[in-house]
Each structure stands twice: as structure tokens, then as C-alpha cells.
Amino acid sequence: MSQFPKDFLWGAATAAYQVEGAHDADGKGLSVWDVFSHLPGTTHEGTNGDVAADHYHRFKEDVALMAELGMTSYRFSISWPRVLPNGTGEVNEAGIKFYSDLIDELLRHNIRPMITLYHWDLPQALQDKFGGWAGREIVDAFDEYARLCYQRFGDRVDLWSTFNETIVFIGMGYFTGQHPPKLKDPKLGIQACHHVFLSNARAVKSFREMGIKGQIGFVNVLQPNDPISQEPEDIRAWEIAEGIYTHWLYDPVLKGEYPRDMLEMAQAAFGVPEFHPGDAELLKENIVDFIGLNYYKREMVARNDDVQGFDLNTSGQKGSGGGMGFKGLFKIVKNPNGVYTDWDWEIYPEGLTDAIGRIRHRYGEVPIYITENGLGAKDPIVDGAVLDQPRIDYLSEHIRAVGRAIEQGADVRGYYPWSFIDLLSWLNGYQKQYGFVYIDRENNLARKKKLSFEWYQKVIRSNGDEL
């Protein structure tokens, strides 16, 4: 008998900028990534999402492959500047039509859409106008965008999430300067993060005011941290890392408030976040319905007396190792006994079960979707076949880890591997592959099913019994 409920959702995920292409087609406005990826030296070999997987023009072909795979749900994001080229104001009806047609095509194949409203492609117009997430005006702008999406798609979509991986687009955008807007300003980054949480709360409030039938959640990186030793200094470093990586990012959307110790630390060090009247109430009154968890790895934490500044490797640049370190507080170190990917991410499926347990312990029985989980690798091609056995091994162990969490009582409702198809992996370009479907970039972007495609078919067909 399967560990997974009968109505468990077996899906896969993508994101607009990484898969759609058509960066300037049919009235779409520029996103910050459209601009950033064309700056010299920002991405691997200058790759960008101008064409990506050309999902914009080939979505029917891709949905047919999803149906063949047996997917019961598909997690994708909407490109904000595709529907609102200037971020607010005039609606691009061609962009609306693309997503409406995609949703209808999914439903025709009995695939349930899960929409992410924000997966990093902020309209460049809003970055130019008031500094993007650093400007408080973004809260009203995001609410306008969310309401538009609810109005146009809420009759057919009942699973929504507001944001994807705040730690990445804020951490790498404002702390390390590796993502747009290329800043190294922690004070501004903390305030920008506050505006994300306010935007989430406003969007949740609007979702409920508009009577949309369904659930709305928030998607975070799930990165369990463990101390490298049981020395008191390493234990304390681990507590701080957990506070930053988990509590700071989960508490505002699941408790409606910041963790007190982390808030006091941020305000003592930088004087932010700055609260306006009504902020605390807005957060408290608009808790999300579910949490989406993106799990790839765990990190080992040690005391930090030597690493200066910040080092954030959440997006996995090859060879850079580790994650964010704060001098005097903590740093990320390599597990000497760990097994790592080519991008220095530890393969540790037990961490998924453990981290789900930590979420339950702190936040209670919140509904959970595993919204990303996958292996980034350069897949070998032998006699024309894409033999991604390491991906099968990785996903098998992590699905078992989800099953163990369910056996322990966790309310996990769906599993969305990253990713359905090979796509642009942000700074890594197209060298880091995640998909069940290979794209031949030398042959008109022809789609080819990998070894893992047939494997995942069996997993879905057996409701997780055949791994």
C-alpha cells in the first residue's frame, strides 16, 4: 500500500523566465533579468532567457509531454511584465491570452495548474521607477498585479503561491550583488525583504476578499542546517543560521510576525526593517494556507571568526561551495563525510524528512507541498539516449524521504520535481540540467525524453510505490 494519499499531486515545476523565451514578443515588457542577463560577465558564457526553451510558442507540445508523463499538476510562474509591461496600469491582453490558453490546455489534459505569481522577473519599469523591492510602492504594485491574475485566472486555478525563494532574490540581489539589482547593501536588503512580506500579506488579503476558490501559499527554500560539531560556539552559530535561513523567512508568512531574536539583531545592527502603522496587523491577519518547500541540500554550520562579509551560493555556482556567512556569527562549511553534486550541493535525502519535522514542530500541521526538488547535472548522452540515472537515484531517495515524513504524520499534499524540462539555470546558463525532458539546442530545441521520464511515469502510475 502506498505511503502517499490517493489524491496526492505528482507534478513538476518550471519558471517563466527560465522556460518561456519570447522575451519581447507580443507586447511583453522588460524584466530585470532581461536586462541583467545581457550585462557582460553576469551569466555563464553570456547565456540568457531570450529564447530559453521557447515554451511560449511550444506550450501545447510541452503539455502533451506532461500528459504522457502522467503529471497531475504543473507548477509554473507568470511573468509579471508579460501581463503588465510597465508593472502597473495598461494590461497586455496578449500576455493574458498566453496564460489563459496554457491553463486551458492543462485542464484539457486533466493537469491541475499551480501558479507562482513571482519567480524573480520583476518588471524593469518598477526597478527604474522606485527601486523595485526596496521601494514601499512595490506593495501596491504587487497587489494590483495579483488582483489582475486572480480576476483573469481564478475561475480555473485553485492553487496559488505568491513568492518563490525570497532568500535568493533578496539575498543575491541585495547582499551579494550576484542577481539584479546587483547591490551589496544589507540594510536595504532587509527592508526590501520586509516589503516582500507585506506584498505577500496584501496579496493573500485580496485573494480572500475576491472570494477566489482555492488556496494561496508561499514558497521558501527548505535548507536544514546542522552544526559541524557539538562545541558551544558551533551550536550557537547553528542557532543563528537557523534563525536567518528558516525562522526569518517562515515566521512572517506562517505566524504573521518576525522571530523576536532575529528582529532585534537586525534592528540593532542596521535599524531595519522599518515598520509603518498597520504593517504588524497586516502580517498577523493574513497567514497563508500552505507552505511550499524547495529542498535540494542541507548545510553544515560553524562559528565564523574569519570569513568577511557575505557568501551566498543558494543558486549553486559551480565550485563556490557553501552559503551565506556573517563574520562573527556563522559560516557554511563542507561536511567532510558528505556526498556532493558537481555544484557542491550535499546530497542528503534524510534532511528532507528532518526539515519537514522541524517545520511541523515550529508551525504546527500546516499543509505542505514539495514545490522543488531535483538534481542539477550535465546529463550523459550515449548513442542518442539521455542516461540520467543519477537523477533517478536522487529523486527516488527524496521521494522515500517524503513518504517517511507522511508516515510520521506530515500533511504533504504534492511533489513537484525541478524541473519538467531542461531550462535556463539562471547564472549557470544551460550547462546545469534538471529536467525529465532534454532540449537539443543544436537541433531547433527538439524535445527528447530522458531515462528519468519513463521512470517518473511509473512512479506516478503507482502513486509512489515503484521507485
Side-chain angles (χ1 to χ4, degrees), residues 34 68 70 116 125 355 377 380 407:
D34 289 321
E68 183 181 348
T116 303
E407 283 185 334

Side-chain angles (χ1 to χ4, degrees), residues 9 105 107 133 155 179 228 241 289 316 339 379 409 411 428 467:
L9 294 178
E105 190 72 11
L107 293 174
W133 295 108
D155 59 333
H179 281 197
I228 194 67
D289 298 318
V339 177
D379 297 330
D411 184 11
N428 291 289
L467 296 172

Side-chain angles (χ1 to χ4, degrees), residues 274-294:
E274 178 182 310
F275 281 74
H276 285 206
D279 283 4
E281 292 79 8
L282 181 65
L283 293 177
K284 199 69 176 178
E285 293 167 4
N286 295 284
I287 305 299
V288 294
D289 298 318
F290 70 85
I291 193 72
L293 306 179
N294 293 356

